[in-house]
Every structure is written in C-alpha cells, then in structure tokens.
Amino acid sequence: MPHAVRRGSRLLVGCAVVAVPMLAIALAAWWRVEQLADAYAAVGQAAVVADDVEGLRGDLVLQIAVFGAIAVGALLLAVLIRRPFRWARTATLTFAGVTLLGLVCGLMGGPLGRSAAPSETPFPDLSRAGDAQVGLGEFPLAHSYVLIIGFPGVVLLAGLIAVTIQMTRSGAIDYYRPETRVADPDWSGFVEKRRRAVSGEPE
C-alpha cells in the first residue's frame, strides 16, 4: 500500500476522532436551546422567542449534521480506501469537498457567538442562551461555544485538506488505477516460446 494511501487513512481516522466531541458539544447546545423554547412556551411566551429559537436551532442542526457526517463517513472511508477500489478514492475526494464546504458554512454562519448589537429578544445568540433565565440555571458551555468549536474546527479543515492532497498524489492515483486488460506482446511472446520449449514443439 502506498504511503499516501496509508497517511490518508490515518488522517480520516483523526478527523473522525476530532468530530465526535464536537458533535457531542453541538448536541448539548442544541438541547439547551430546546429547553429554553419549552420553558418560554410553558409561561405562554413561545412567540417572543420563536425567531431566536428558529435561528439557533437551524445553525446547530447544520453543525450536528456536518460533525456527524464527518465522524461516521471519515471512519468508514478510512477502512475502504485501504482497498484498491477506484470508487473509494472518488468517494473520499467527494466527501472531503462536501464536508469542507459544510464545515465552513457551519462555522462561519449564524448567531452562535455573542452579538455586539443590543437586542430586546431574550437570547439573540447562543452565548446569551447560556444565561440563567425562565427557571433554568446558567449553561457555561454556551458562553464559550465558539471558542470550543473553533479550534477543533480548524483542525478538521486542515485534516480534510490534507486527505485531499494525499488522495491526489501519484502513489495513490497509481494504487487505484485499474489493471490493463491488454496483454503485453513481449511477455506473451516469451511465455509462448517457453511453452513450446517445454512441450518440445518447433518454434
């Protein structure tokens, strides 16, 4: 197996390992938003937080989907690319490209960090959703969510780019290249001469 393929497989395993805690953190933040939505609904103020909940829920669901896809897909592809299946290389390159785009969108968009502008809504961003309110205690994870997700997010970006580079190296391309079905005439001629010599047939 070429070194490029082996490195690509190890990088995919590393991406999966990094994505698992990110997925757990995103799920915890999503659950906090859902708790707030239920708490405000219980006191008859569901309409007041409807926009807040919808915006944060959408951003967190995108992150959960991306982190989950990386955790499962990277681990699966890490095993498959070790076999000389041409489609495995194509699937890996496609996977890396799609998840890179999703990761950038998930990390860059949405009101997940603290908003600088004053707001009259209860929690216009995830940071303020971590404040104690409506009978719910403080949720410190939400206050530093961007920093907690940001660093491993950059590591994931670098890892996926590295995987793409390894899969486009010449060693990896040759490893997945289908074997030619056209016989080598020189080799065929040599084999035929040896067969005739062994069987005693005239050349």
Side-chain angles (χ1 to χ4, degrees):
M1 181 188 303
H3 292 300
V5 176
R6 188 175 290 110
R7 284 192 293 265
S9 177
R10 291 172 180 172
L11 283 167
L12 283 169
V13 172
C15 288
V17 171
V18 172
V20 169
M22 294 177 72
L23 174 62
I25 293 169
L27 284 169
W30 173 81
W31 180 243
R32 170 65 176 193
V33 173
E34 294 301 314
Q35 283 184 311
L36 280 175
D38 292 342
Y40 275 94
V43 295
Q45 299 185 43
V48 176
V49 298
D51 291 340
D52 293 340
V53 171
E54 199 61 34
L56 291 174
R57 181 187 287 144
D59 294 324
L60 288 169
V61 166
L62 173 60
Q63 289 193 352
I64 290 169
V66 173
F67 299 155
I70 293 175
V72 176
L75 196 58
L76 180 62
L77 288 170
V79 176
L80 292 176
I81 63 171
R82 288 179 168 268
R83 303 295 299 275
F85 300 137
R86 192 176 185 181
W87 58 264
R89 175 177 174 270
T90 303
T92 301
L93 290 172
T94 303
F95 171 81
V98 171
T99 51
L100 271 172
L101 179 61
L103 192 58
V104 170
C105 292
L107 293 177
M108 298 294 291
L112 295 181
R114 178 173 286 276
S115 176
S119 175
E120 297 180 356
T121 61
F123 48 97
D125 51 55
L126 185 60
S127 181
R128 295 183 205 183
D131 297 339
Q133 51 186 314
V134 200
L136 293 176
E138 189 177 5
F139 188 66
L141 175 64
H143 297 156
S144 53
Y145 180 84
V146 173
L147 293 177
I148 296 173
I149 290 294
F151 178 72
V154 172
V155 172
L156 268 185
L157 285 171
L160 291 169
I161 292 172
V163 168
T164 303
I165 293 173
Q166 295 302 321
M167 289 295 98
T168 54
R169 294 178 70 91
S170 58
I173 294 173
D174 291 339
Y175 182 67
Y176 298 107
R177 195 188 307 278
E179 296 182 5
T180 177
R181 293 177 172 81
V182 179
D184 185 347
D186 294 335
W187 174 254
S188 300
F190 172 76
V191 172
E192 181 63 18
K193 287 181 180 180
R194 292 296 300 168
R195 187 190 67 78
R196 288 179 182 273
V198 170
S199 63
E201 298 178 13
E203 297 186 3

